[in-house]
């Protein structure tokens, strides 16, 4: 029974460590999905892809977080495996084995419920944010909150295809601001990145645009094609944005 308790403690601590690390990575600017994946990858030592790892190791706080995850992950996995083996060694008959298996399942379910609880996540996020502000000298911000990535607003990457409505046009001619869309950056095919592009920046086929705006408008723009239908869709999006602005001013 002592081995079973040790197993529960090891699993709970491992989940807590990865959750804390994911929250910390989120506060450094990573998306929540990417932060959770990177935290679990570093802790288990699996699935750490090159493109995503470059985003992590380029930031000093992220490097420090992942370094501790890698160190703790090795000890945590070994502890879980050894405790699991010891749990079922020396069982006295089928009844004892079934009892331990039942307790194991119940314990894992309870741990999972707590680990995925949203209220727990909110409290944990506040604690991690306070800790990073208290014990580090680096500027850590919740970029999701700064950009108001809630409700219908999002940041999205869009690859420009030759037949897209936006292809081969200067940014100033697209009038995307009138649709409520901001172009944060342009990733060229040759690897050059244009941050905060000006109106004279041309959008070419193959470019990857980093856009900010209402998700419904971004998705419509991604599927918008050249021709009269594209111009009509643009005019409709402009009219919709004007109505939203008028409604917001009345509130």
């Amino acid at each position: 029974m002592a081995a079973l308790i040790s197993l529960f403690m090891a699993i709970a601590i491992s989940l807590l460590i990865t959750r804390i690390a994911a929250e910390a990575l989120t506060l450094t600017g990573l998306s929540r999905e990417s932060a959770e994946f990177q935290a679990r990858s570093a802790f288990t030592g699996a699935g750490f892809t090159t493109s995503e790892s470059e985003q992590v190791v380029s930031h000093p706080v992220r490097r420090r977080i992942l370094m501790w995850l890698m160190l703790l992950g090795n000890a945590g996995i070994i502890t879980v495996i050894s405790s699991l083996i010891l749990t079922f060694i020396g069982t006295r008959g089928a009844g004892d084995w079934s009892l331990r298996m039942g307790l194991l399942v119940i314990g894992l379910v309870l741990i999972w419920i707590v680990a995925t609880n949203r209220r727990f996540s909110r409290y944990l996020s506040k604690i991690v944010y306070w800790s990073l502000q208290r014990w580090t000298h680096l500027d850590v911000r919740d970029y999701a909150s700064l950009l108001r990535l809630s409700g219908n607003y999002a940041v999205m990457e869009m690859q420009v295809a030759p037949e897209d409505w936006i292809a081969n046009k200067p940014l100033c001619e697209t009038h995307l601001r009138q649709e409520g869309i901001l172009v944060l950056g342009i990733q060229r095919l040759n690897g050059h990145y244009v941050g905060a592009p000006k109106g004279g920046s041309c959008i070419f086929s193959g470019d990857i645009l980093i856009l900010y705006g209402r998700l419904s408008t971004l998705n419509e723009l991604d599927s918008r094609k050249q021709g009269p239908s594209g111009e009509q869709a643009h005019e409709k999006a402009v009219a919709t944005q004007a109505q939203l602005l008028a409604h917001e001013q009345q509130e």
Side-chain angles (χ1 to χ4, degrees):
M1 194 62 66
L4 189 60
I5 296 174
S6 176
L7 174 63
F8 289 150
M9 291 181 62
I11 294 175
I13 292 173
S14 298
L15 288 174
L16 181 61
I17 289 173
T18 54
R19 176 57 66 87
I20 291 174
E23 293 292 340
L25 290 172
T26 300
L27 294 177
T28 64
L30 285 180
S31 66
R32 182 166 298 277
E33 292 79 8
S34 179
E36 291 177 353
F37 175 77
Q38 294 295 337
R40 291 168 185 167
S41 297
F43 190 80
T44 59
F48 203 57
T49 59
T50 302
S51 59
E52 290 188 338
S53 63
E54 289 178 354
Q55 298 178 4
V56 175
V57 298
S58 62
H59 194 289
V61 172
R62 297 172 189 170
R63 284 200 305 269
R64 192 180 308 170
I65 293 169
L66 294 185
M67 180 186 69
W68 280 105
L69 277 176
M70 292 174 182
L71 292 174
L72 295 173
N74 292 329
I77 293 173
I78 294 173
T79 302
V80 169
I81 294 175
S82 59
S83 298
L84 182 61
I85 294 174
L86 291 174
T87 298
F88 294 98
I89 289 180
T91 53
R92 301 174 182 176
D96 190 17
W97 189 92
S98 300
L99 175 62
R100 296 190 184 189
M101 178 59 71
L103 292 175
L104 176 62
V105 172
I106 293 173
L108 292 177
V109 170
L110 291 176
I111 291 173
W112 180 256
I113 291 174
V114 173
T116 56
N117 184 271
R118 292 185 177 180
R119 180 176 296 180
F120 174 76
S121 297
R122 287 196 297 268
Y123 284 125
L124 186 60
S125 179
K126 293 179 181 179
I127 293 172
V128 172
Y129 181 80
W130 178 85
S131 300
L132 289 174
Q133 293 284 5
R134 175 66 177 80
W135 286 299
T136 68
H137 301 286
L138 298 169
D139 186 20
V140 179
R141 299 176 184 271
D142 187 349
Y143 292 99
S145 297
L146 289 175
L147 290 172
R148 297 185 181 275
L149 297 183
S150 60
N152 196 31
Y153 284 87
V155 173
M156 187 178 80
E157 288 186 346
M158 188 188 88
Q159 186 164 17
V160 181
E163 67 276 8
D164 283 349
W165 174 81
I166 202 173
N168 303 315
K169 291 182 180 179
L171 187 58
C172 60
E173 292 184 6
T174 63
H175 302 291
L176 290 179
R177 282 182 175 270
Q178 296 181 14
E179 298 186 32
I181 297 176
L182 299 178
V183 181
L184 303 179
I186 303 174
Q187 182 70 52
R188 303 292 191 190
L189 274 175
N190 60 6
H192 179 66
Y193 181 78
V194 181
K198 297 182 179 180
S201 300
C202 192
I203 301 172
F204 300 107
S205 174
D207 287 346
I208 297 177
L209 307 181
I210 292 84
L211 306 173
Y212 172 68
R214 289 183 296 112
L215 187 58
S216 56
T217 307
L218 295 176
N219 288 331
E220 189 279 323
L221 177 64
D222 193 21
S223 61
R224 190 185 303 172
K225 305 302 178 184
Q226 294 179 358
S229 61
E231 296 299 330
Q232 292 175 2
H234 168 64
E235 293 175 0
K236 182 179 179 181
V238 171
T240 300
Q241 177 65 14
Q243 292 176 357
L244 289 173
L245 291 176
H247 180 70
E248 290 175 356
Q249 291 176 356
Q250 293 175 357
E251 292 182 348

